Amino acid sequence: MLAGIAAELRGALGILAKRDVQIPARHLSVNAGAGGAVDRPAALGDDCAAIPDGDGYLLLAAEGIWPAFLEGDPRFAGYSAVMVNISDICAMGGRPIAVVDVVWGTSAGALEPVWEGMVAASRAYGVPIVGGHTSARSPYNALAVAIAGRARRLITSFAARPGDVLVAAIDLRGAMHAEHPFWNASTGADPARLRGDLEILPALAEAGLCDAGKDISMGGVVGTLLMLLETSGAGAVLDLEAIPRPREARDLCDLSITRWLLAFPSYGFLLSVRPEAAGEVLAAFARRGIASAAVGTVDGSRRLTLQAGGERQTLWDLAAEPLTGFAGEGAR
């Protein structure tokens, strides 16, 4: 059974698409160009660029929306474009400041639901849209959103260490999108609760309880963990049975475990936590009604090993096969 799950995960679009990141990784590598090292103020491969600024960090990030999603559900695509950028900021221990957008549409009518969704998310999360670019004279529809934020202390993709406990936190108070691998726990939620739930991440960072992790993005828990391990130069054993999941993923055939493992949750974070802090981290999510669990351990193997039903199966050997091409010092 586990071998079949591993094969399905390895061939999933959400994970294979991460390999496209090898293109910018190659161009932005320290050896790029005739001039040698590229002068840059931030490490590459994280959820946001973290630029040292005064007593903290300026955070910058951007996300493009999958074209099929934009065509099939333009309002939720607009909402999600803002939401996922906010998640990126919070995943790094930051608080969002404002977003800007780039929207192309075939007509004014095509842009209306996209803008309705973006404004709804902006209001729900209390993050203003302050500018960007809009055109209704395009031969296609396209959407990207960028965000700025600030952090006092960082949660990064480069700090997972052997011996860490992997903690997955996912808001299960939602439902799966009818067509796309998105778990929507946001559009029907109280805005005050949404904002309070996201505050957990900077609070953990500022309390010194967590310095490593990522938000669960396209590619789900598995794809996100692979990226975290690659940039940290580490490996891990992931217990599939421990991952928080909705009842449908346990009892109903219409939501398989692999579909859940690849889903993008509206609120989902994967943290690499020192063992002595794991209890406090889990308690912080529990106080907000967020499902969380210890789902594995970090090791030095540079392999992601899946565990379930008494079986173990290597999913990916990062030493032999890079995923994004962005690797921290521990992988060199």
Side-chain angles (χ1 to χ4, degrees), residues 22-47:
Q22 292 183 25
I23 300 169
R26 185 175 68 252
H27 282 277
L28 297 174
S29 70
V30 293
N31 295 319
V38 176
D39 184 16
R40 56 177 183 257
L44 300 173
D46 227 326
D47 286 322

Side-chain angles (χ1 to χ4, degrees), residues 28 104 130 137 163 170 203 221 324:
L28 297 174
W104 293 88
V130 296
R137 304 174 187 277
I170 303 172
V221 174
T324 67

Side-chain angles (χ1 to χ4, degrees), residues 171-198:
D171 188 352
L172 299 181
R173 297 166 290 191
M176 188 67 81
H177 192 279
E179 297 179 17
H180 300 285
F182 304 130
W183 179 259
N184 180 10
S186 179
T187 57
D190 175 65
R193 178 170 68 78
L194 292 175
R195 300 175 196 184
D197 291 347
L198 286 173

Side-chain angles (χ1 to χ4, degrees), residues 18 44-48 63 87-93 155-160 166-170 201 210-218 220-232 265 267-272 285 323-324 326:
K18 302 297 184 186
L44 300 173
D46 227 326
D47 286 322
C48 304
E63 294 279 357
S87 183
D88 279 341
I89 294 290
C90 296
M92 291 196 62
I155 298 172
T156 85
S157 301
F158 299 92
L166 291 171
V167 171
I170 303 172
L201 282 305
C210 181
D211 64 1
K214 297 181 74 69
D215 75 318
I216 299 172
S217 62
M218 294 301 296
V221 174
V222 173
T224 299
L225 179 53
L226 276 172
M227 291 189 292
L228 175 62
L229 297 177
E230 185 173 31
T231 47
S232 291
Y267 182 105
F269 298 92
L270 185 65
L271 306 177
S272 187
F285 289 109
L323 183 67
T324 67
F326 284 124

Side-chain angles (χ1 to χ4, degrees), residues 13 16 29 42 61 70 83 105 114-115 126 145-146 192 242 254 268 303 309 311:
L13 178 61
L16 294 178
S29 70
L70 180 62
M83 177 180 66
V114 178
W115 265 103
V145 170
D254 62 347
R303 294 186 297 272
E311 299 180 62

Side-chain angles (χ1 to χ4, degrees), residues 7-278:
E8 188 172 348
L9 292 172
R10 279 186 60 86
L13 178 61
I15 292 179
L16 294 178
K18 302 297 184 186
R19 304 178 86 171
D20 296 345
V21 181
Q22 292 183 25
I23 300 169
R26 185 175 68 252
H27 282 277
L28 297 174
S29 70
V30 293
N31 295 319
V38 176
D39 184 16
R40 56 177 183 257
L44 300 173
D46 227 326
D47 286 322
C48 304
I51 303 169
D53 184 48
D55 61 351
Y57 299 86
L58 176 65
L59 303 179
L60 296 174
E63 294 279 357
I65 294 300
W66 188 248
F69 182 31
L70 180 62
E71 293 295 332
D73 195 342
R75 191 183 191 282
F76 189 44
Y79 187 99
S80 297
V82 173
M83 177 180 66
V84 298
N85 274 279
I86 292 170
S87 183
D88 279 341
I89 294 290
C90 296
M92 291 196 62
R95 296 176 178 88
I97 297 171
V99 299
V100 295
D101 61 86
V102 177
V103 190
W104 293 88
T106 56
S107 66
L111 294 180
E112 285 301 318
V114 178
W115 265 103
E116 289 172 3
M118 289 196 296
V119 169
S122 171
R123 290 173 176 166
Y125 288 98
V127 181
I129 300 172
V130 296
H133 173 91
T134 298
S135 173
R137 304 174 187 277
S138 169
Y140 52 81
N141 299 318
L143 171 63
V145 170
I147 191 166
R150 287 196 62 82
R152 296 189 182 99
R153 298 183 68 173
L154 291 177
I155 298 172
T156 85
S157 301
F158 299 92
R161 304 176 189 169
D164 280 1
V165 176
L166 291 171
V167 171
I170 303 172
D171 188 352
L172 299 181
R173 297 166 290 191
M176 188 67 81
H177 192 279
E179 297 179 17
H180 300 285
F182 304 130
W183 179 259
N184 180 10
S186 179
T187 57
D190 175 65
R193 178 170 68 78
L194 292 175
R195 300 175 196 184
D197 291 347
L198 286 173
E199 180 62 23
I200 297 172
L201 282 305
L204 290 176
E206 290 163 10
L209 293 172
C210 181
D211 64 1
K214 297 181 74 69
D215 75 318
I216 299 172
S217 62
M218 294 301 296
V221 174
V222 173
T224 299
L225 179 53
L226 276 172
M227 291 189 292
L228 175 62
L229 297 177
E230 185 173 31
T231 47
S232 291
V237 176
L238 177 65
D239 183 353
L240 301 186
E241 296 172 304
I243 296 170
R245 57 191 187 272
R247 184 173 299 278
E248 297 95 310
R250 297 191 294 268
D251 301 334
L252 300 178
C253 61
D254 62 347
L255 182 56
S256 71
I257 185 62
T258 49
R259 188 181 182 207
W260 178 246
L261 291 172
L262 293 166
F264 167 75
S266 303
Y267 182 105
F269 298 92
L270 185 65
L271 306 177
S272 187
V273 181
R274 309 292 105 81
E276 61 273 14

